[in-house]
Amino acid sequence: MLSKDIVRTRLQRYNTSDGDMYRDHPLGTAAVLVPLLYRDDTLHVLLTVRSAEVRSHKGEVCFPGGKTDPEDKDSTHTALREAEEEINLKPEDVDVLAKISPIPSKAGILVTPVIGFIPDGFQPTPNTSEVSDVFTMPLENFLRAEGHTSKNITWKGLSSQMDYFEYKDNGTTYVTWGFTAAVAMMAATLIYERTPDFEVKTAIGSYAKYLSDRRSKLIATRNSSKM
């Protein structure tokens, strides 16, 4: 079992405020909360299912989150505010571990993943106008071949890969895909410090390499400054 201290230490290597540098991005900015908790000594991630009442992504599996409001102090504020609105998760109950460099969504919005621990016994109260269901699944599932499928796609003239992760919980089958799957894969890659068991052809692979190179340069800089 990965302890909280190990998870915290590994994520802190990639903590950044990069996302807060782009508040004036013409296509907008947003943030999502990647809520971690333990179930039966296994690290899980909490996910939501969008309701049929929302304007976009109806019925899709997502992380709590949304677009930046003008009054938001930073991306952490955005993620925590949205999580409280969607599932009644109080900001003071989130132990924020790291903010990862923003990832562009399909629409071009820069989305900052904010990763944090929430209480293991957290009981969500979904805002039914936005969320129809809430579940958790082992984070490491996003690195395993079991339950994973993919298909090749072409987007804006570029060849890519769409990843799908199927998980059954209490008789319900959930499928996580698209941007949410990419963020979950990224979080799992950084925390478990390994690549997926399946071939990755999406931009998430180059993004993971970018973060790894960034970490190596940071360590080298720190070591040289001590000499």
Side-chain angles (χ1 to χ4, degrees):
M1 162 179 160
L2 285 179
S3 69
K4 286 188 175 183
D5 287 342
I6 290 175
V7 173
R8 184 187 307 277
T9 298
R10 291 180 178 179
L11 286 175
Q12 277 295 309
R13 299 165 182 161
Y14 305 97
N15 188 38
T16 178
S17 296
D18 289 355
D20 300 320
M21 298 170 56
Y22 303 101
R23 292 286 290 254
D24 297 328
H25 181 61
L27 296 180
T29 60
V32 295
L33 180 65
V34 181
L36 304 176
L37 69 164
Y38 289 93
R39 293 283 166 86
D40 299 323
D41 294 330
T42 299
L43 186 62
H44 275 230
V45 62
L46 181 144
L47 295 151
T48 69
V49 180
R50 302 272 285 174
S51 78
E53 299 179 34
V54 295
R55 288 182 297 177
S56 59
H57 309 294
K58 301 176 187 290
E60 293 185 14
V61 173
C62 295
F63 286 113
K67 290 185 178 180
T68 305
D69 280 351
E71 59 270 22
D72 290 341
K73 297 177 182 177
D74 54 24
S75 51
T76 297
H77 189 165
T78 302
L80 297 185
R81 174 182 54 76
E82 289 283 347
E84 183 172 21
E85 292 175 3
E86 293 179 17
I87 57 175
N88 198 32
L89 175 62
K90 304 302 181 184
E92 60 267 25
D93 288 335
V94 182
D95 178 9
V96 175
L97 305 173
K99 292 187 293 185
I100 307 302
S101 292
I103 305 171
S105 71
K106 185 177 180 180
I109 298 171
L110 291 180
V111 184
T112 299
V114 179
I115 308 176
F117 277 117
I118 65 174
D120 295 343
F122 171 66
Q123 296 295 322
T125 305
N127 176 348
T128 54
S129 65
E130 297 187 54
V131 175
S132 64
D133 199 2
V134 182
F135 69 101
T136 74
M137 62 182 285
L139 179 64
E140 198 171 13
N141 279 29
F142 289 100
L143 299 177
R144 293 172 176 159
E146 182 180 358
H148 170 264
T149 56
S150 65
K151 67 178 182 181
N152 295 323
I153 62 171
T154 300
W155 181 63
K156 292 187 176 181
L158 300 175
S159 297
S160 187
Q161 172 182 302
M162 186 72 74
D163 295 285
Y164 299 81
F165 296 88
E166 184 176 294
Y167 181 71
K168 294 182 179 180
D169 183 49
N170 294 324
T172 301
T173 299
Y174 300 96
V175 179
T176 307
W177 61 284
F179 183 82
T180 301
V183 172
M185 289 166 61
M186 173 58 58
T189 297
L190 300 183
I191 290 172
Y192 286 96
E193 295 189 329
R194 72 177 186 86
T195 55
D197 296 334
F198 47 87
E199 184 179 4
V200 178
K201 298 179 182 178
T202 60
I204 201 72
S206 58
Y207 187 76
K209 185 177 185 304
Y210 156 73
L211 288 177
S212 179
D213 291 346
R214 181 168 166 266
R215 178 196 164 205
S216 297
K217 291 178 181 178
L218 178 62
I219 292 174
T221 300
R222 286 178 177 174
N223 289 340
S224 62
S225 65
K226 295 177 182 179
M227 296 176 64

